[in-house]
Amino acid sequence: MRALARLMPRGADGENRLAVAAFRRVQQVRDLLGAGTRRRRRRPASTLPGWPPLPGDYVVGDATAPVAVCTLSDRLPLEALAALPGVAIAGRLVTVNLGIERLLTNTTANPNIRVLLLCGRDSPVFHTAQGLGVLIANGVTPERRIIDARGHFPVLANVTTERIARFRRQIQLIDLVGVDDRARIAREVAEAARRATRLDPLTEIEAETVETPRFTPLPAGGQRRPVGYDPKGFFIITIDPAAGEILCRHHWPDHSPGHEIRSHSAERVLLGLLRAELVTQLDHAAYLGAELTKAETALRLGLDYHQDRRLERR
């Protein structure tokens, strides 16, 4: 993985933030392909205009209800879970940094939510369930690193210590990690909602406004270097619908054949190319990521794919 290390170097603390961000984006694309537009569909929450304040992979139920359901990295049906009596919101969580930040912000923005129920499969890389557990139990260091969290880079850099403290006061955790039985989840939600009515109400002072992340806008676009610029060559990408695979063929700069790689996954193709050190330029890697994702989309949705052209229906 020397090429990957050069393209995405580690920081001084040993954490590879670029890699985390890149693979999180790939995961978001794969989630979108698997769930379609329904993943962003929300019911109106008339009692709390503008809630939830941050976008994410969730469905809103009854904004006045006391239970939030988190399916971790599992693809349990969010619409069905959000429709359960007592559920304010149902969503997924993959990362132990930006993902927990969004979950924390959205739940604390609704003072009605007092219980967070975890269910489904956890990420074997980020250990988000374990991270949430120790966040509530132990809190964070002055640098906002979750104490004793095992996941990669468990730092909540974009939320205040006050909001973290509020989350720990507000939320009780119910651990059903590994459970995907909807009947059992429904029973646990009902019991959690019943118990939540006995919790001390939150004060209006605690229900502070949400800090909106501020990003510096950049103009889109730019000039990609010619395909022949990469000294390791170029790639021809096609799809094989019968096999359900992406076919990526590598050519050396003199157009002679180099290597080929097949997979149903755009991510696996790109990782294979990086492992073989066949990509040496960041803009070339970005181009390949976009084209391979288009190819995977075409396979999944039954579309025609032609490299460097927009997707079209057959």
Side-chain angles (χ1 to χ4, degrees):
M1 301 293 284
R2 292 191 298 274
L4 181 59
R6 287 197 298 270
L7 291 171
M8 299 179 179
R10 293 179 180 271
D13 58 0
E15 302 286 359
N16 199 325
R17 294 169 179 79
L18 284 176
V20 171
F23 289 115
R24 182 169 59 85
R25 175 59 61 187
V26 171
Q27 183 64 46
Q28 288 173 341
V29 171
R30 297 187 68 181
D31 284 349
L32 182 60
L33 292 173
T37 55
R38 66 178 183 169
R39 73 192 290 270
R40 300 266 182 186
R41 196 162 60 233
R42 297 192 259 165
R43 297 187 183 88
S46 58
T47 55
L48 284 175
W51 180 79
L54 298 182
D57 194 357
Y58 56 70
V59 174
V60 172
D62 176 5
T64 65
V67 180
V69 176
C70 175
T71 66
L72 302 170
S73 61
D74 210 318
R75 300 215 59 81
L76 289 169
L78 298 182
E79 292 86 351
L81 295 174
L84 292 173
V87 174
I89 187 171
R92 298 187 179 93
L93 176 65
V94 177
T95 62
V96 76
N97 34 63
L98 295 177
I100 288 183
E101 287 178 2
R102 291 188 178 218
L103 181 149
L104 182 154
T105 300
N106 284 339
T107 53
T108 55
N110 183 344
N112 297 311
I113 297 176
R114 305 306 305 278
V115 177
L116 176 61
L117 185 147
L118 304 181
C119 58
R121 295 184 303 274
D122 196 8
S123 166
V125 174
F126 293 103
H127 303 285
T128 45
Q130 188 268 347
L132 281 169
V134 294
L135 172 62
I136 291 177
N138 304 335
V140 296
T141 68
E143 296 76 27
R144 283 173 283 181
R145 176 179 286 267
I146 302 173
I147 298 172
D148 294 332
R150 295 201 305 263
H152 182 71
F153 195 59
V155 177
L156 308 181
N158 300 298
V159 291
T160 64
T161 54
E162 292 78 14
R163 184 163 292 278
I164 294 170
R166 170 183 166 80
F167 179 75
R168 297 179 66 206
R169 291 196 308 271
Q170 175 178 341
I171 296 300
Q172 291 189 353
L173 208 60
I174 294 180
D175 185 352
L176 291 182
V177 177
V179 174
D180 58 8
D181 181 352
R182 277 184 272 172
R184 181 180 174 188
I185 294 171
R187 291 194 301 270
E188 295 285 349
V189 165
E191 176 61 20
R194 184 183 65 79
R195 291 198 305 268
T197 59
R198 300 197 299 267
L199 297 175
D200 294 335
L202 297 175
T203 67
E204 289 300 319
I205 295 176
E206 287 179 318
E208 76 274 20
T209 57
V210 172
E211 308 86 1
T212 303
R214 296 182 179 180
F215 296 89
T216 302
L218 292 174
Q223 186 64 41
R224 182 166 61 87
R225 283 169 285 191
V227 68
Y229 182 85
D230 196 319
K232 289 297 183 75
F234 61 94
F235 301 89
I236 303 298
I237 302 169
T238 57
I239 60 173
D240 183 347
E245 292 179 329
I246 304 165
L247 171 59
C248 181
R249 285 178 166 160
H250 163 247
H251 295 258
W252 295 109
D254 64 359
H255 291 215
S256 61
H259 308 79
E260 73 173 30
I261 184 169
R262 288 177 173 267
S263 177
H264 66 281
S265 164
E267 178 183 356
R268 289 180 63 82
V269 172
L270 185 55
L271 287 174
L273 299 178
L274 292 173
R275 184 182 62 236
E277 301 187 7
L278 295 175
V279 184
T280 66
Q281 306 296 335
L282 281 175
D283 54 353
H284 196 189
Y287 163 78
L288 288 171
E291 283 298 321
L292 290 166
T293 299
K294 281 168 51 184
E296 182 177 338
T297 302
L299 282 174
R300 287 176 177 255
L301 302 183
L303 305 177
D304 281 335
Y305 170 78
H306 300 281
Q307 191 169 349
D308 297 323
R309 290 172 53 183
R310 291 187 299 179
L311 295 179
E312 298 176 353
R313 294 190 180 277
R314 292 175 186 166

